[in-house]
Amino acid sequence: AMISNECPLIFTHIPKTGGMSMFASMAEQYGMQIADMYDMSACYNEPAPVEALLKDVDKHIYAGHFPFGLHEWLTRPSCYMAIVRKPLERIISLYHYSIQYRDLVLNTRKETGQSLQELFDNRTVPDFYMDFLPWIKGEQTLAGFLRCLSPELDNGMVRRFSGIGLEPYPCPRAALDMAKDNIEKYFSVVGIQERYEDTVQMVRATFEVNFSVFHVNKGVQKQQQGQKANLAVKRRIKEMNRMDTDLFNWIYERFDRKLASPTPPVIVPGGGRTDFDKVKLWRAIGNSPMRKAAMELSPATMAKQ
């Protein structure tokens, strides 16, 4: 198989792009051979668990919200894939997704009597929400969400593809060209959330895998009573994510060509770096029972069900 422990797949999962659906497809076949890095954080994590996963030569897939660059800490070659989405829809979806966790944070604070900072310090709640503290404490609207200084809201896709990561400074203009360059050189598949079934087809053809199509985490906003984005807020999101829009349009333009004539996976040599404390991770999003169950149900058990 193209995806193996000798040449693992690195899934750079950009939040709110259909990545959990893709994770479910991966878990159906690879189960516990997936290295789940979603709960690893630049703030919280000691290098030891990161090092253990990257040194585990049985892992076939590395999945998480980390930026490009993970291959540098592998001793084996690897392949990269990711999925993108229109920035406006992605940010609005992230906002709706965050509402349920905001409520969880506030309820936990009420029940425990701890301050928000104590909840984060004690790791009671994921540190993903540290970037959104002003929103949790204050104006709980989409406009208030956008006022938070989270790098995720400032060209989060370009930040990941370029490898600069989600650093707490404005996304530099040069990052857009770096992102395109990395996609051209290193990514075997860059799918599109709006063309999800075609994306699965592209993954199947590129890696010669028989992935099923799942739709997970879909339409959380439909269950929410959150306010609709008004024109001014939409304009603000677009202004904040101009480079992401450029990148998305560029990826979209090349997508059909790639779909029509799939090319073999791009093999990226391992870098063999040993400074595991320098792995660029973002915030932890918390342990997910769904991810855990998907991995543990697979691969053999799911085939029998």
Side-chain angles (χ1 to χ4, degrees):
M2 296 270 192
I3 299 170
S4 68
N5 61 331
E6 290 171 7
C7 186
L9 174 66
I10 298 176
F11 178 34
T12 298
H13 176 181
I14 296 160
K16 310 316 297 169
T17 59
M20 271 295 110
S21 300
M22 185 58 69
F23 186 91
S25 304
M26 293 170 175
E28 184 182 34
Q29 289 193 32
Y30 294 97
M32 298 303 285
Q33 294 165 330
I34 299 174
D36 177 348
M37 297 183 73
Y38 290 94
D39 203 31
M40 296 188 164
S41 159
C43 288
Y44 279 2
N45 239 76
E46 298 300 317
V50 179
E51 181 177 358
L53 274 183
L54 293 172
K55 281 186 167 178
D56 184 343
V57 293
D58 291 328
K59 296 301 183 196
H60 287 51
I61 294 175
Y62 288 89
H65 292 311
F66 45 74
F68 170 77
L70 203 71
H71 68 281
E72 293 177 13
W73 286 272
L74 294 176
T75 51
R76 306 161 278 159
S78 57
C79 298
Y80 273 95
M81 76 157 283
I83 305 171
V84 296
R85 183 179 186 179
K86 284 181 183 169
L88 177 65
E89 282 78 3
R90 187 178 92 81
I91 298 300
I92 291 173
S93 178
L94 183 73
Y95 164 71
H96 285 292
Y97 180 80
S98 299
I99 289 172
Q100 56 187 326
Y101 287 97
R102 179 197 71 201
D103 294 345
L104 173 77
V105 171
L106 293 173
N107 289 337
T108 310
R109 185 179 67 167
K110 215 175 188 175
E111 285 164 19
T112 61
Q114 293 180 312
S115 71
L116 287 172
Q117 197 55 53
E118 283 171 329
L119 290 179
F120 292 123
D121 292 344
N122 302 334
R123 304 192 189 188
T124 313
V125 295
D127 70 346
F128 174 89
Y129 296 97
M130 285 174 75
D131 283 353
F132 299 101
L133 274 179
W135 172 66
I136 291 172
K137 289 176 178 172
E139 186 199 341
Q140 294 170 2
T141 61
L142 180 48
F145 187 72
L146 295 176
R147 278 195 279 278
C148 296
L149 296 175
S150 170
E152 187 67 77
L153 307 178
D154 169 18
N155 301 290
M157 297 197 295
V158 163
R159 286 172 180 272
R160 283 190 179 81
F161 283 112
S162 66
I164 65 163
L166 287 104
E167 304 289 353
Y169 52 71
C171 187
R173 188 72 214 165
L176 178 59
D177 286 335
M178 288 161 66
K180 289 179 180 177
D181 199 43
N182 285 341
I183 288 169
E184 290 280 20
K185 284 184 188 162
Y186 301 111
F187 277 79
S188 299
V189 170
V190 180
I192 292 171
Q193 189 266 353
E194 289 84 351
R195 303 270 305 272
Y196 188 72
E197 303 221 349
D198 287 338
T199 294
V200 176
Q201 186 187 321
M202 189 183 278
V203 171
R204 286 174 183 154
T206 305
F207 297 111
E208 296 176 8
V209 286
N210 188 25
F211 278 180
S212 308
V213 176
F214 291 91
H215 292 288
V216 178
N217 265 358
K218 198 177 177 188
V220 174
Q221 62 267 45
K222 292 186 180 72
Q223 301 150 25
Q224 300 290 354
Q225 296 306 305
Q227 68 282 82
K228 287 203 176 1
N230 64 37
L231 282 173
V233 165
K234 285 181 177 176
R235 202 175 301 123
R236 178 84 186 111
I237 293 171
K238 287 176 178 174
E239 278 169 14
M240 292 167 75
N241 292 278
R242 278 190 182 145
M243 284 184 268
D244 267 10
T245 301
D246 284 355
L247 186 72
F248 177 85
N249 292 340
W250 178 80
I251 290 166
Y252 204 98
E253 277 169 21
R254 68 205 281 281
F255 184 78
D256 282 309
R257 190 173 71 250
K258 298 274 178 191
L259 190 63
S261 49
T263 49
V266 180
I267 310 294
V268 183
R273 283 178 67 169
T274 54
D275 51 345
F276 293 95
D277 57 322
K278 298 287 190 294
V279 177
K280 281 192 178 179
L281 298 165
W282 190 47
R283 305 289 201 206
I285 60 164
N287 288 312
S288 160
M290 191 208 84
R291 282 199 319 272
K292 195 166 180 284
M295 287 166 68
E296 287 174 354
L297 267 175
S298 323
T301 351
M302 277 182 103
K304 290 174 190 160
Q305 287 187 345

